[in-house]
């Protein structure tokens, strides 16, 4: 009876190394258009100068390829289990970076978390999405003069952000009364307050190839 073959880490290098930097994938990030995966920092830096995948050359997005990226947390855990000491090495390098070069040291941020001052990360490590918030003009709606367009319509946020949070953001930016409500629409459909941006992207935006969201005064608030 033959004994099972033992695999070495190098046997898996083709699957767990970055095409750009040739090192192990750190914060592995997948391009949704072609499913190629790179280090997050490598692919973000690459997209500063190009809209094409560095491996296969396919155009990822005409204007903003960053919105087609998704973090692969499962692959990250697999790599950390396969490569001894890699997690600890990266954590130590990150701490050293923030201590030396960051505006605030990582240690200081961790201390703030221990004191309950905040979540420290603020969802920056989540997959991000760029969306456009446009005011839906309709002269037949009462209160149209209150709701204006944003000076900066494009925002970048976590895919976990909900429609409810977008409404709060709009209310603050537009300085609306606390009792005033907005409807957020996509493809002419009012979105529920618990819908996340990822859910909307997968069920609405991806089919149309756009990430435009409209807002307007909530109809239910206009009935006197």
């Amino acid at each position: 009876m033959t004994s099972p073959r033992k695999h070495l880490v190098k046997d898996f290098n083709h699957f767990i190394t970055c095409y750009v930097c040739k090192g192990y994938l750190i914060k592995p990030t997948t391009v949704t258009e072609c499913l190629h995966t790179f280090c997050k920092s490598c692919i973000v830096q690459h997209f500063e100068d190009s809209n094409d995948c560095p491996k296969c050359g396919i155009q990822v997005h005409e204007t903003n390829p960053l919105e087609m990226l998704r973090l692969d947390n499962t692959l990250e855990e697999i790599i950390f289990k396969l490569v001894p000491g890699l997690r600890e090495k990266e954590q130590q390098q990150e701490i050293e970076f923030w201590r030396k070069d960051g505006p605030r040291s990582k240690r200081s941020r961790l201390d703030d978390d221990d004191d309950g001052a905040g979540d420290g990360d603020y969802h920056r490590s989540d997959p991000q999405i760029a969306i456009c918030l446009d005011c839906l003009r309709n002269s037949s709606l009462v209160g149209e003069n209150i709701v204006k367009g944003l000076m900066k319509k494009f925002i970048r946020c976590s895919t976990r952000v909900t429609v409810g949070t977008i409404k709060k953001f709009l209310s603050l930016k537009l300085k609306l009364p606390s009792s005033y409500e907005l409807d957020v629409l996509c493809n002419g459909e009012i979105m529920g307050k618990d819908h996340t941006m990822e859910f909307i992207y997968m069920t609405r935006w991806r089919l149309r190839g756009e990430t435009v969201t409209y807002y307007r005064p909530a109809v239910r608030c206009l009935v006197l």
Side-chain angles (χ1 to χ4, degrees), residues 40-100:
K40 180 180 178 180
S41 59
C42 291
I43 191 63
V44 169
Q45 186 174 2
H46 171 80
F47 281 156
E48 289 180 0
D49 302 315
S50 173
N51 292 340
D52 302 336
C53 171
K55 188 170 184 179
C56 67
I58 187 176
Q59 185 182 63
V60 176
H61 194 277
E62 290 184 358
T63 57
N64 188 9
L66 292 176
E67 69 183 44
M68 310 306 290
L69 299 179
R70 296 292 180 272
L71 282 174
D72 193 334
N73 294 320
T74 301
L75 179 58
E76 182 179 45
E77 286 302 315
I78 292 174
I79 294 172
F80 282 151
K81 290 181 183 299
L82 281 174
V83 185
L86 183 62
R87 185 197 302 268
E88 293 76 13
K89 178 182 176 182
E90 287 304 315
Q91 289 176 341
Q92 184 60 37
Q93 287 183 345
E94 187 175 0
I95 290 173
E96 291 298 326
F97 169 80
W98 284 104
R99 181 178 294 152
K100 180 181 178 181

Side-chain angles (χ1 to χ4, degrees), residues 25-215:
L25 290 165
I26 302 301
K27 295 188 182 300
T29 302
T30 300
V31 180
T32 58
E33 289 300 296
C34 58
L35 300 182
H36 289 134
T37 303
F38 310 91
C39 297
K40 180 180 178 180
S41 59
C42 291
I43 191 63
V44 169
Q45 186 174 2
H46 171 80
F47 281 156
E48 289 180 0
D49 302 315
S50 173
N51 292 340
D52 302 336
C53 171
K55 188 170 184 179
C56 67
I58 187 176
Q59 185 182 63
V60 176
H61 194 277
E62 290 184 358
T63 57
N64 188 9
L66 292 176
E67 69 183 44
M68 310 306 290
L69 299 179
R70 296 292 180 272
L71 282 174
D72 193 334
N73 294 320
T74 301
L75 179 58
E76 182 179 45
E77 286 302 315
I78 292 174
I79 294 172
F80 282 151
K81 290 181 183 299
L82 281 174
V83 185
L86 183 62
R87 185 197 302 268
E88 293 76 13
K89 178 182 176 182
E90 287 304 315
Q91 289 176 341
Q92 184 60 37
Q93 287 183 345
E94 187 175 0
I95 290 173
E96 291 298 326
F97 169 80
W98 284 104
R99 181 178 294 152
K100 180 181 178 181
D101 301 318
R104 294 179 59 202
S105 71
K106 184 73 172 179
R107 177 61 58 191
S108 173
R109 291 171 63 199
L110 292 175
D111 291 342
D112 288 346
D113 290 346
D114 294 338
D115 294 337
D119 62 8
D121 181 73
Y122 299 105
H123 299 290
R124 291 189 183 94
S125 61
D126 289 351
Q128 302 289 300
I129 188 168
I131 63 175
C132 174
L133 295 172
D134 208 354
C135 182
L136 185 62
R137 301 293 181 182
N138 189 336
S139 58
S140 64
L141 287 178
V142 180
E144 181 74 15
N145 59 330
I146 299 178
V147 180
K148 306 293 184 181
L150 294 172
M151 297 231 6
K152 296 182 178 180
K153 297 188 296 183
F154 294 92
I155 66 169
R156 188 169 184 81
C157 61
S158 164
T159 55
R160 294 168 57 187
V161 165
T162 64
V163 170
T165 302
I166 295 294
K167 288 183 178 181
K168 292 179 181 178
F169 169 79
L170 288 169
S171 295
L172 287 172
K173 286 292 184 181
L174 299 173
K175 298 179 181 179
L176 299 176
S178 58
S179 59
Y180 203 89
E181 292 190 38
L182 294 169
D183 281 333
V184 172
L185 302 90
C186 181
N187 301 345
E189 178 186 355
I190 296 177
M191 297 290 98
K193 66 181 180 65
D194 295 323
H195 285 3
T196 64
M197 296 300 103
E198 181 175 23
F199 173 80
I200 295 175
Y201 171 79
M202 297 302 294
T203 59
R204 275 84 173 176
W205 287 329
R206 190 169 187 178
L207 300 177
R208 292 201 170 196
E210 61 180 15
T211 55
V212 180
T213 301
Y214 295 96
Y215 59 91

Side-chain angles (χ1 to χ4, degrees), residues 11-28:
D11 296 333
F12 302 96
N13 278 352
H14 176 72
F15 305 101
I16 61 176
T17 54
C18 176
Y19 179 82
V20 177
C21 70
K22 311 304 180 185
Y24 289 119
L25 290 165
I26 302 301
K27 295 188 182 300

Side-chain angles (χ1 to χ4, degrees), residues 1-6:
M1 182 177 178
T2 59
S3 59
R5 179 190 172 191
K6 292 184 178 179

